[in-house]
């Protein structure tokens, strides 16, 4: 048993993408909306998708940049996204934090 799986976050991170040999996720769910509070205290809704990156199952809170790219590539109906493969990368986001983005 690899106990590292027990201490890893359930969330897809930039580090996960960097370490991935494929950098490709398979979308497993149509997603859910989650209310998020920004560092400035502003509330907004975010899409959370269940994805598989290599052998890892993760929850991915999709940022607005990636959401626009997903809509451009796959359309606006998330139920049609299930089973689709998406290539990811990382980039420095506003605020200086590294984030996951769709290529």
């Amino acid at each position: 048993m690899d106990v590292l799986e027990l201490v890893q976050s359930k969330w897809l991170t930039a580090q996960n993408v960097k370490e991935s040999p494929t950098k490709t996720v398979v979308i497993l769910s149509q997603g859910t909306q989650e209310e998020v509070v920004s560092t400035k205290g502003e509330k907004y809704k975010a899409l959370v998708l269940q994805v598989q990156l290599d052998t890892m199952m993760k929850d991915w809170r999709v940022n607005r940049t990636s959401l626009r790219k997903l809509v451009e590539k796959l359309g606006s109906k998330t139920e049609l996204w299930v089973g689709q493969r998406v290539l990811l990368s990382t980039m420095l986001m506003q605020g200086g934090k590294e984030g996951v983005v769709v290529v």
Side-chain angles (χ1 to χ4, degrees), residues 1 14 20 34 38 40 68-69 80 87 90 92 97 103:
M1 173 190 329
S20 167
E34 180 180 282
S38 73
K40 296 178 182 177
R68 283 191 287 275
K69 194 73 162 180
L80 300 176
L87 182 62
T90 62
L92 201 56
K97 185 177 177 185
V103 176

Side-chain angles (χ1 to χ4, degrees), residues 22-40:
T22 66
K23 302 193 181 351
T24 300
V25 294
V26 177
I27 299 173
L28 303 175
S29 73
Q30 67 181 357
T32 58
Q33 285 188 32
E34 180 180 282
E35 189 168 286
V36 179
V37 179
S38 73
T39 55
K40 296 178 182 177

Side-chain angles (χ1 to χ4, degrees), residues 25-31 48-60 78-79 81-86:
V25 294
V26 177
I27 299 173
L28 303 175
S29 73
Q30 67 181 357
V48 176
L49 297 171
Q50 291 177 327
V51 296
Q52 180 176 348
L53 175 67
D54 305 322
T55 60
M56 297 181 292
M57 304 300 200
K58 295 288 186 177
D59 287 345
W60 177 26
T78 62
E79 59 270 17
W81 298 2
V82 177
Q84 297 294 318
R85 294 183 175 280
V86 179

Side-chain angles (χ1 to χ4, degrees), residues 4-13 16 56-59:
L4 287 178
E5 292 177 14
L6 301 175
V7 296
Q8 289 186 0
S9 170
K10 75 174 194 162
W11 297 102
L12 181 69
T13 66
N16 296 143
M56 297 181 292
M57 304 300 200
K58 295 288 186 177
D59 287 345

Side-chain angles (χ1 to χ4, degrees), residues 12-14 17 23 25 27 44 46-49 51 60-76 78 81 85-93 98-103:
L12 181 69
T13 66
V17 173
K23 302 193 181 351
V25 294
I27 299 173
Y44 64 95
L47 176 66
V48 176
L49 297 171
V51 296
W60 177 26
R61 186 180 296 131
V62 182
N63 59 44
R64 290 179 184 160
T65 301
S66 291
L67 185 56
R68 283 191 287 275
K69 194 73 162 180
L70 285 168
V71 169
E72 179 183 307
K73 288 176 174 268
L74 304 175
S76 64
T78 62
W81 298 2
R85 294 183 175 280
V86 179
L87 182 62
L88 301 177
S89 185
T90 62
M91 69 179 280
L92 201 56
M93 306 301 280
E98 198 164 26
V100 175
V101 293
V102 175
V103 176

